[in-house]
Amino acid sequence: MFVFVCARCDAELTVPLSEVSLPAHARQTYGNGVQLPVLMESGTFAVDPDPWGGPWRMWDEIDPGEAEARGIYAPVYALSDSTSGAIVIAPGDIRGTRLIPEKRGGACCGLDGADGPNMACEACDLPVATRVDDCSLWQAVRLSSDAVRRVPVDGVDAAPFSWAELAERGESTPPLEPIATWGGRFGSSHYWAWSPRWAAAAGQALAHLLVASGGQPVKVPDGLTADVFQRALDALLPAGPPTRRAVLAGPGEPSPDAGVDILLVPVHPQTGQTWAPAGPAASAYPVPLPLGVWLWLVSPQPYMPVPASGGIPQDVLRDDPLPPRPNHLFRADRGTFEHTLVRLPAVRSPWMRTVLEYLAQDRRADVF
């Protein structure tokens, strides 16, 4: 456990926090006027390895060698020149700070962090953090790595859960959820849609699936896994044999056989480590999925009818209304997909450049 203190005056700026991995949806922008919830669970923090926010430099201003040194292997629209290593926490866990009104940014319904750090230490006025809570953005506070430092706190640190414990106790993430909006013509409203968390998780995993394909078709398991990935894979990869096979694998699941090329596996939510198999499938390409998404894919939760009330006897289960469904096919989050893909060295291969050209021309944009 740690508290974060001001680098100038040592004032405490957070409650005690334990480190977890950065969520796959940390950089996601979702919809228009959407009220996204808090990114981080209270009492936790994650380190973002990449710079975030301004100042920005356009791609043609950056030497390719510098880009590769920063772990970026394909062109992007612009690169952030801010300090890397921000500490991401829940807004409710910040202490001893005040907002800087003139750093409101280009916000619509809240703060978007476009003007840089917008929170200062109350004790010494050093800008220490950026609060983000605008519409369509996950709510978070990003402590600047060069303005704070971490201090261990007394207490017993619990060991991370084992994979067996996570498989048994972990909470799965439903693929559908109600989405709240701001600022509509008739005020706030809700609609039922694919989960933003799933869209971001699929965007991250799809980038890895393309790399794992080697430019060949990929077949994923039928059902919800196919709903999430197969349409995008068929659109972005050439048709025809040979086809590479991807399966779900992880703790508590049967060991994959030697003929499997790609494994869809969970990421440990505390350590950020990707589950790794033993045996014949150890050489298969591991595609990371957030634990909650992976748990739902391996054990989908059925829609359960609820007991009827009123004139129907209590032992009769009502089978209506049908479970709500979104009004469109599943689409991966394009921003998360591109952020992941350009950071995989295999994106430099000739066949992958063709995919990037198609994406730049929006010829395959209907899968996002």
Side-chain angles (χ1 to χ4, degrees):
M1 301 281 290
F2 302 90
V3 295
F4 289 87
V5 302
C6 175
R8 176 187 290 173
C9 70
D10 287 341
E12 290 192 3
L13 302 177
T14 70
V15 300
L17 303 169
S18 58
E19 186 169 9
V20 297
S21 64
L22 187 70
H25 51 282
R27 291 170 173 262
Q28 183 183 32
T29 300
Y30 181 85
N32 182 23
V34 171
Q35 298 182 50
L36 290 177
V38 173
L39 174 67
M40 303 296 299
E41 289 188 15
S42 181
T44 68
F45 75 93
V47 178
D48 188 345
D50 296 315
W52 181 91
W56 297 89
R57 278 194 293 160
M58 305 303 292
W59 180 254
D60 57 10
E61 301 174 333
I62 299 166
D63 181 83
E66 178 190 351
E68 288 203 12
R70 294 176 59 172
I72 299 170
Y73 303 100
V76 296
Y77 178 73
L79 275 181
S80 169
D81 257 355
S82 67
T83 306
S84 61
I87 296 92
V88 189
I89 68 173
D93 288 339
I94 195 74
R95 297 290 186 271
T97 59
R98 63 170 182 83
L99 289 172
I100 307 173
E102 58 270 24
K103 290 297 189 75
R104 182 176 182 273
C108 173
C109 302
L111 301 170
D112 64 2
D115 286 344
N118 55 24
M119 303 183 76
C121 173
E122 279 187 326
C124 70
D125 279 340
L126 177 70
V128 292
T130 304
R131 176 162 181 152
V132 177
D133 55 19
D134 201 3
C135 57
S136 298
L137 301 175
W138 290 88
Q139 300 177 44
V141 168
R142 305 176 69 91
L143 295 163
S144 303
S145 60
D146 57 352
V148 302
R149 59 185 183 86
R150 67 172 76 180
V151 177
V153 297
D154 294 334
V156 178
D157 289 334
F161 289 120
S162 67
W163 282 114
E165 291 172 322
L166 288 173
E168 180 180 354
R169 304 179 186 179
E171 294 186 8
S172 57
T173 303
L176 304 171
E177 64 178 76
I179 305 297
T181 65
W182 269 322
R185 193 164 61 177
F186 303 104
S188 298
S189 63
H190 294 76
Y191 62 92
W192 200 261
W194 295 102
S195 166
R197 293 176 177 85
W198 276 67
Q204 182 184 68
L206 182 59
H208 285 277
L209 280 167
L210 286 182
V211 169
S213 75
Q216 299 175 0
V218 172
K219 179 70 171 66
V220 299
D222 293 333
L224 182 56
T225 308
D227 292 343
V228 171
F229 294 114
Q230 197 65 62
R231 188 168 67 94
L233 289 169
D234 291 345
L236 296 170
L237 292 171
T243 299
R244 295 195 171 185
R245 186 161 63 99
V247 301
L248 291 159
E253 294 299 298
S255 298
D257 58 51
V260 173
D261 305 292
I262 305 167
L263 303 179
L264 297 162
V265 297
V267 173
H268 198 293
Q270 295 169 295
T271 66
Q273 294 180 342
T274 302
W275 182 86
S283 61
Y285 189 109
V287 173
L289 286 170
L291 178 69
V293 171
W294 181 86
L295 286 171
W296 192 285
L297 286 174
V298 297
S299 298
Q301 302 298 310
Y303 171 72
M304 299 298 293
V306 297
S309 61
I312 302 178
Q314 290 187 357
D315 60 347
V316 174
L317 296 180
R318 185 184 298 276
D319 60 1
D320 67 292
L322 293 173
R325 299 286 296 178
N327 59 6
H328 60 81
L329 297 174
F330 182 87
R331 295 189 183 101
D333 182 71
R334 181 166 186 156
T336 307
F337 166 78
E338 292 177 343
H339 180 84
T340 304
L341 186 62
V342 300
R343 287 164 174 78
L344 298 176
V347 76
R348 295 174 295 189
S349 60
W351 74 268
M352 190 68 80
R353 283 199 293 270
T354 303
V355 173
L356 294 174
E357 290 172 3
Y358 277 129
L359 291 172
Q361 298 168 11
D362 278 341
R363 292 176 60 180
R364 309 293 176 96
D366 62 327
V367 302
F368 295 104

